[in-house]
Amino acid sequence: TQLLEQSPQFLSIQEGENLTVYCNSSSVFSSLQWYRQEPGEGPVLLVTVVTGGEVKKLKRLTFQFGDARKDSSLHITAAQPGDTGLYLCAGEGTGANNLFFGTGTRLTVIP
Amino acid sequence: EAGVAQSPRYKIIEKRQSVAFWCNPISGHATLYWYQQILGQGPKLLIQFQNNGVVDDSQLPKDRFSAERLKGVDSTLKIQPAKLEDSAVYLCASSPNPGELFFGEGSRLTVL
């Protein structure tokens, strides 16, 4: 099993603040994905990063894949209450096409 | 386009009872996954199907869990007998391409 540790586990911030969530592993992944999950729903894919050092932007969200493809970060600029949710990173291992999910970061943005 | 459908949404049973969950993937998606998500944790893969064949079931507790996808479309996940630690959300996902997962809303199981 390839472990993905996310930090922080919980984060509560005021609307308009910036934040960064981290996803770390000792394993190398062929790709890494970020999902957002809201209560009572399944995870929804936000982005997939494939190349070491890759940076992708999705409106106010910036995702980066580490150079060694072992870690990733998610930065949110000017957080909005709609950003509230559980953020999950998931690494795709070599071999079978399955994903190993991280422990999750629960974000609450206070209006 | 219809998403991944799961039922039931909620189920409460007593320990040692059995339960079954159903999943209808997005049409045309060959790959189907069952994940277990315990409260406060990320989803853990239980089993992965490619059409009606099992690709990975290494983390499926086979003494009590079973899953099938007989016609390569719908799938069922069964737990018999259930234990307290099986309380979780069971997520089904389907994929048209490697790594591109679409999740259902999940089935929340409470074992008393």
Side-chain angles (χ1 to χ4, degrees), chain B residues 20-91:
Chain B
F21 301 112
W22 173 82
C23 173
N24 185 18
I26 294 173
S27 178
H29 286 194
T31 311
L32 184 147
Y33 310 78
W34 282 103
Y35 282 85
Q36 179 194 57
Q37 186 174 24
I38 293 173
L39 186 64
Q41 299 181 17
K44 183 186 84 172
L45 179 69
L46 293 175
I47 189 166
Q48 177 186 349
F49 293 94
Q50 181 74 18
N51 297 308
N52 61 349
V54 175
V55 173
D56 184 354
D57 64 356
S58 58
Q59 297 197 78
L60 187 73
K62 298 180 185 62
D63 57 334
R64 298 182 301 104
F65 286 65
S66 64
E68 59 183 14
R69 194 185 183 198
L70 293 176
K71 297 182 180 178
V73 181
D74 295 6
S75 177
T76 56
L77 175 70
K78 296 180 181 178
I79 307 174
Q80 181 180 9
K83 293 186 175 182
L84 296 177
E85 59 262 35
D86 298 333
S87 293
V89 176
Y90 291 86
L91 293 163

Side-chain angles (χ1 to χ4, degrees), chain A:
Chain A
T1 301
Q2 296 166 281
L3 297 177
L4 281 161
E5 297 283 343
Q6 289 186 240
S7 61
Q9 188 175 358
F10 299 96
L11 186 57
S12 182
I13 62 171
Q14 294 289 329
E15 181 177 359
E17 292 184 348
N18 301 333
L19 68 114
T20 302
V21 174
Y22 299 93
C23 173
N24 296 291
S25 176
S26 58
S27 301
V28 176
F29 294 98
S30 58
S31 68
L32 195 136
Q33 300 179 346
W34 284 92
Y35 290 79
R36 181 169 67 216
Q37 184 177 21
E38 300 189 21
E41 304 289 331
V44 175
L45 178 65
L46 296 174
V47 77
T48 301
V49 285
V50 179
T51 306
E54 182 177 2
V55 177
K56 280 192 174 179
K57 292 192 175 183
L58 182 66
K59 297 183 180 178
R60 295 177 292 100
L61 280 60
T62 301
F63 305 86
Q64 184 163 8
F65 202 10
D67 291 341
R69 292 186 288 131
K70 293 182 179 181
D71 54 82
S72 181
S73 63
L74 159 59
H75 182 79
I76 301 179
T77 303
Q80 303 294 312
D83 296 328
T84 293
L86 178 67
Y87 287 83
L88 295 160
C89 65
E92 184 174 6
T94 55
N97 297 320
N98 55 48
L99 293 179
F100 299 93
F101 278 85
T103 48
T105 293
R106 187 165 298 281
L107 172 66
T108 302
V109 181
I110 302 166

